[in-house]
Amino acid sequence: MPSSSLILSRRDLDFLLNEWLDVESLTKRARFTEHSRETFDAVLDLAEQIATEHFAPHNRKADENEPRFVDGKVELIPEVSQALRVFAEAGLMAGEFDEEFGGMQLPHVVGQAVFAWFKAANVGTSAYPFLTMGNARLLLAHGSREQIDTYVAPEIEGRWFGTMALSEPQAGSSLADITTRAVPQDDGSYRLTGNKMWISGGDHELTENIVHLVLAKIPGGPPGVKGISLFIVPKFLVNPDGSLGERNDVVLAGLNHKMGYRGTTNTLLNFGEGVHTPGGQPGAVGYLVGEPHKGLTYMFHMMNEARIGVGMGATVLGYTGYLHALEYARTRTQGRPAGAKDPASAMVPIVEHPDVRRMLLAAKTYAEGGLALGLYCARLVDEEQTAETQEERDRAHLLLDMLTPVAKAWPSQWGLAANDLAIQVHGGYGYTRDYPVEQFYRDNRLNPIHEGTQGIQSLDLLGRKVVMQGGAGLALLGETIGATTARAAGTQWAGFAADLDAAVARMGAVTATLWGTGDPDLALANSHVYLEAAGHVVVGWLWLEQALAAEAGSTDFHEGKRAAARYFWRWELPRTRAWFDLLESLDRTVLDARDAWL
């Protein structure tokens, strides 16, 4: 039967959280003792209800009526503000935060499952709280007590929203080349001047204030990324009693007009151009977070969280596209089975055609595999923060560090592939705006770009993560996968496990070959292929994990898990052989190509 929701599958979330990841066991830890399976289920029920009733209904309208720049301000459709008010009043902004700040102290893995409903229902509107929660977590980790008291509490309450302002028009992803300056003042503040580009949520009238976290350079600091510092630059200055003061010199210079993700304002901001002069002086007032010249280190706290969150967003956009395609395939009648001889016989639902089932199975493996990856990484965050021993915490930290580029990049590529397949299942209708699958594709096309492109993630994985600590992260990943394949011995999945072991061994050998050249340019020239191969190995492992977790089940749901695991084993994991072959050959085609040849 069709899923009860076309946003996400609650049954799949229950399986992943409870039958596989055993999140209830976290309630034995001090931080989560007030929780139970019942409280987790209740907040998931609440998330599904609010996402369904307040976020999903205006997803199309926000796409068709993108933000407008009118008289220096951003105009949005009113449903965005209404939905976010319901979200904040339900306490969902505070879900994972400490009770001290009015939070629920939910485990991160549950919080990610909760927020998945909103990203799947309306990725544009959900971006505002997503950015704000990441902003608040960074300040909790690296801000002073005064900064936390001033800025974090209003963010968690949903009265203020937050951004991160990294990129600049001339620098893009090359943060070493940013030119925004921060000049120290006698009162301990700084005055910032410069331009920031691609700032999501950078201006709007949704909240009383916007807290920008801005990367800038203090004159006289070290060159490149070692000279980057991090500053709080509020849209409105804040008085000592917490009330809002005068307008800061942060000006909306324009909106970017996007292919998708249109419900989120995406801005060009000018800092310190003199439109506003707080205190009668030029420059935007900013406050240093932590120590000078350590801004990129601090910002990576938010960026790494955002990267895993982007991967989850890509997954659930692929997931909702898959669910829409599945419903369409079950209700759209067309054609007859290949063996049918009577042209007068009734047409069948297109799900009866094997090639349509192929597309649906592929989309299912990408969507459900990506969801498993995102939730597994979220569970590692809980282990990193609350595991009983330091050894367990360190292990979780190392494995999470290793998996972060995969958790961002794999769903960004293959969740989008699920959306592409959803359009194909719809046929010509899928290419029209009469059905939502074309919007899901456009919305998802951003995810391989922002928070670090696929190429940047591949350089991070091959250039840093697999060689860090003498290859300790890669070794730990192999050991963790090996524990799963050992459990599969003697089951119907023994063949899958053997193929996965072979792929892990090949990955290690190819990594040694690449770095054994002594030529970083040659080693990294085909890093994107390495990322694809590593991602398929990781998701293959998580499909084996799901197959083992579903082994005892006899329902159609469990049969579906087993069918998807077989598909990934037979159709997807073999792709890695060709990828590893190419990498092992040390092919120079891309490296040696010249501009004039292109």
Side-chain angles (χ1 to χ4, degrees):
M1 295 296 292
S3 169
S4 58
S5 173
L6 296 183
I7 298 173
L8 275 182
S9 166
R10 176 59 187 276
R11 178 66 186 89
D12 194 24
L13 281 172
D14 285 343
F15 169 80
L16 293 171
L17 292 173
N18 299 307
E19 296 177 51
W20 177 43
L21 292 173
D22 187 23
V23 297
E24 191 173 9
S25 64
L26 291 169
T27 61
K28 297 175 183 176
R29 298 180 183 176
R31 179 171 177 81
F32 309 124
T33 51
E34 297 300 312
H35 287 291
S36 64
R37 168 73 185 271
E38 288 70 29
T39 62
F40 295 159
D41 285 347
V43 74
L44 283 165
D45 289 342
L46 180 63
E48 180 176 2
Q49 178 186 349
I50 294 176
T52 302
E53 296 177 1
H54 298 278
F55 279 66
H58 72 272
N59 189 43
R60 171 57 63 89
K61 184 176 179 180
D63 180 69
E64 294 174 339
N65 299 271
E66 62 182 308
R68 296 193 304 148
F69 188 11
V70 180
D71 297 329
K73 295 183 178 181
V74 175
E75 286 189 357
L76 296 165
I77 61 171
E79 290 88 343
V80 175
S81 177
Q82 294 161 9
L84 293 172
R85 189 178 307 114
V86 173
F87 180 90
E89 289 175 354
L92 293 173
M93 188 79 83
E96 296 179 41
F97 290 97
D98 291 354
E99 292 177 355
E100 174 187 356
F101 300 104
M104 301 182 200
Q105 290 189 191
L106 288 171
H108 188 58
V109 63
V110 177
Q112 285 292 290
V114 165
F115 201 65
W117 281 103
F118 299 97
K119 286 190 171 185
N122 190 321
V123 73
T125 296
S126 68
Y128 298 101
F130 172 70
L131 290 163
T132 301
M133 290 186 283
N135 180 301
R137 274 193 277 268
L138 184 147
L139 290 175
L140 284 170
H142 302 293
S144 67
R145 185 68 215 193
E146 181 183 3
Q147 289 171 342
I148 291 170
D149 290 343
T150 301
Y151 298 102
V152 172
E155 288 185 314
I156 292 176
E157 292 169 10
R159 293 190 293 112
W160 300 358
F161 283 172
T163 76
M164 56 177 175
L166 290 72
S167 299
E168 297 181 6
Q170 81 292 342
S173 298
S174 181
L175 296 178
D177 298 315
I178 66 170
T179 59
T180 299
R181 289 165 49 89
V183 178
Q185 307 296 299
D186 292 341
D187 63 358
S189 68
Y190 289 75
R191 291 282 175 153
L192 278 73
T193 55
N195 313 103
K196 292 293 180 179
M197 185 71 161
W198 310 118
I199 311 307
S200 294
D203 200 59
H204 51 72
E205 304 299 314
L206 295 169
T207 51
E208 303 165 7
N209 204 359
I210 301 174
V211 182
H212 301 290
L213 289 176
V214 183
L215 292 182
K217 293 182 177 179
I218 301 171
V225 295
K226 294 182 179 179
I228 294 175
S229 299
L230 179 63
F231 299 88
I232 297 169
V233 183
K235 180 177 178 178
F236 289 93
L237 299 181
V238 183
N239 297 318
D241 64 358
S243 63
L244 296 185
E246 60 185 315
R247 176 71 186 263
N248 205 353
D249 198 4
V250 182
V251 178
L252 174 64
L255 295 176
N256 297 306
H257 300 284
K258 301 169 292 177
M259 171 181 169
Y261 233 104
R262 293 176 179 170
T264 307
T265 61
N266 190 271
T267 63
L268 172 63
L269 298 177
N270 293 343
F271 293 81
E273 68 173 20
V275 173
H276 308 284
T277 53
Q281 301 178 49
V285 177
Y287 306 96
L288 181 68
V289 176
E291 299 178 31
H293 317 312
K294 292 190 176 181
L296 196 56
T297 300
Y298 302 148
M299 187 59 90
F300 262 107
H301 184 283
M302 186 173 181
M303 287 168 64
N304 282 331
E305 176 184 322
R307 285 174 174 177
I308 295 173
V310 165
M312 279 291 284
T315 289
V316 298
L317 279 170
Y319 209 127
T320 192
Y322 157 66
L323 292 176
H324 279 79
L326 180 60
E327 182 192 52
Y328 183 82
R330 286 169 167 167
T331 56
R332 164 69 167 170
T333 57
Q334 183 176 316
R336 296 161 185 83
K341 305 300 183 184
D342 182 3
S345 62
M347 292 189 294
V348 297
I350 61 173
V351 74
E352 297 298 325
H353 300 306
D355 194 59
V356 172
R357 290 200 296 274
R358 172 192 63 82
M359 292 187 283
L360 292 169
L361 265 176
K364 179 181 175 73
T365 63
Y366 304 152
E368 295 182 11
L371 190 58
L373 174 61
L375 293 178
Y376 183 85
C377 287
R379 184 70 159 80
L380 286 177
V381 172
D382 290 318
E383 292 301 311
E384 178 185 34
Q385 296 176 351
T386 67
E388 293 182 2
T389 68
Q390 190 61 47
E391 181 182 358
E392 290 173 308
R393 294 183 183 195
D394 291 344
R395 180 186 184 281
H397 176 80
L398 181 60
L399 190 55
L400 181 64
D401 218 14
M402 175 73 190
L403 288 176
T404 294
V406 174
K408 191 277 179 186
W410 192 92
S412 294
Q413 179 174 351
W414 298 97
L416 184 64
N419 292 123
D420 182 78
L421 289 167
I423 292 173
Q424 191 71 15
V425 169
H426 280 73
Y429 290 111
Y431 196 62
T432 71
R433 288 188 292 276
D434 298 325
Y435 287 81
V437 288
E438 64 86 28
Q439 182 189 339
F440 299 148
Y441 182 92
R442 287 187 290 103
D443 287 343
N444 214 353
R445 188 58 188 82
L446 178 62
N447 288 316
I449 298 172
H450 72 161
E451 302 307 333
T453 64
Q454 302 297 87
I456 286 173
Q457 303 305 324
S458 71
L459 291 173
D460 183 36
L461 179 64
L462 182 56
R464 286 188 285 268
K465 298 302 173 61
V466 300
V467 294
M468 64 184 177
Q469 300 179 35
L474 183 59
L476 177 57
L477 177 62
E479 171 193 318
T480 307
I481 295 174
T484 302
T485 57
R487 284 171 34 226
T491 73
Q492 64 172 305
W493 305 106
F496 190 177
D499 289 347
L500 195 54
D501 282 335
V504 171
R506 190 84 191 281
M507 184 175 165
V510 166
T511 305
T513 297
L514 290 170
W515 284 111
T517 65
D519 182 350
D521 288 335
L522 179 57
L524 296 172
N526 301 318
S527 60
H528 185 273
V529 179
Y530 186 93
L531 176 67
E532 285 190 303
H536 259 51
V537 170
V538 167
V539 176
W541 158 50
L542 297 178
W543 267 114
L544 180 58
E545 278 277 326
Q546 291 187 74
L548 293 172
E551 187 70 4
S554 58
T555 66
D556 283 339
F557 173 84
H558 294 97
E559 291 286 5
K561 283 292 182 187
R562 290 190 283 268
R566 280 191 295 273
Y567 180 90
F568 203 91
W569 170 22
R570 297 295 192 185
W571 289 68
E572 296 292 335
L573 190 61
R575 293 176 186 255
T576 62
R577 297 170 194 159
W579 290 330
F580 285 135
D581 286 346
L582 177 62
L583 290 162
E584 198 168 46
S585 73
L586 301 177
D587 182 74
R588 298 184 62 93
T589 303
V590 174
L591 185 61
D592 291 343
R594 296 293 175 262
D595 178 11
W597 306 347
L598 301 176

